[in-house]
Amino acid sequence: MAGFVQIIEFQTSRIEEIEQLGRPSRTEGGTPATFRRIVATADRDRPGTYFTIVDFDSYESAMENSNRPETSEFAAKMAALCDGPLIFRNLDVLWEDTGEGSDNG
């Protein structure tokens, strides 16, 4: 397995507050992060709809992250700023291509 990705879909009219909430490292002064990368996105076709894409080495590291008190606290604060429920997609990565080293011409 090449990894694990969690996508969190949410709707909000308070995106600036969510961005501020997410800016400080949630692991400052604590244990190291279990994720590889987080990408925050806005849906161009549905204003007010956003996705956070979190890349993990494995499902296990994602569950370790989910079980942290600081993650639960962050999720509760984020949910309070949303206009509806958070929708979680839990995806096993089957393969990936970074585009590095490919012969494009």
Side-chain angles (χ1 to χ4, degrees):
M1 199 79 44
F4 183 81
V5 173
Q6 186 172 68
I7 299 174
I8 303 113
E9 178 179 352
F10 59 98
Q11 294 181 333
T12 187
S13 55
R14 301 168 70 182
I15 192 60
E16 294 84 10
E17 292 173 73
I18 290 176
E19 288 175 346
Q20 286 296 94
L21 182 66
R23 285 197 202 288
S25 171
R26 296 191 330 251
T27 58
E28 282 179 5
T31 56
T34 63
F35 55 85
R36 289 187 217 165
R37 184 174 104 154
I38 296 177
V39 178
T41 67
D43 191 324
R44 285 179 166 256
D45 300 320
R46 295 184 296 159
T49 300
Y50 303 89
F51 297 86
T52 301
I53 304 161
V54 188
D55 186 23
F56 295 94
D57 287 329
S58 67
Y59 172 78
E60 293 75 21
S61 63
M63 293 305 98
E64 178 185 334
N65 184 68
S66 292
N67 291 328
R68 291 179 172 188
E70 60 268 30
T71 300
S72 297
E73 182 181 329
F74 175 83
K77 288 178 181 177
M78 181 179 165
L81 296 171
C82 290
D83 300 332
L86 302 174
I87 300 169
F88 292 85
R89 307 279 187 226
N90 296 305
L91 309 169
D92 289 321
V93 177
L94 301 178
W95 60 272
E96 63 184 88
D97 182 349
T98 63
E100 296 175 9
S102 62
D103 184 8
N104 293 323

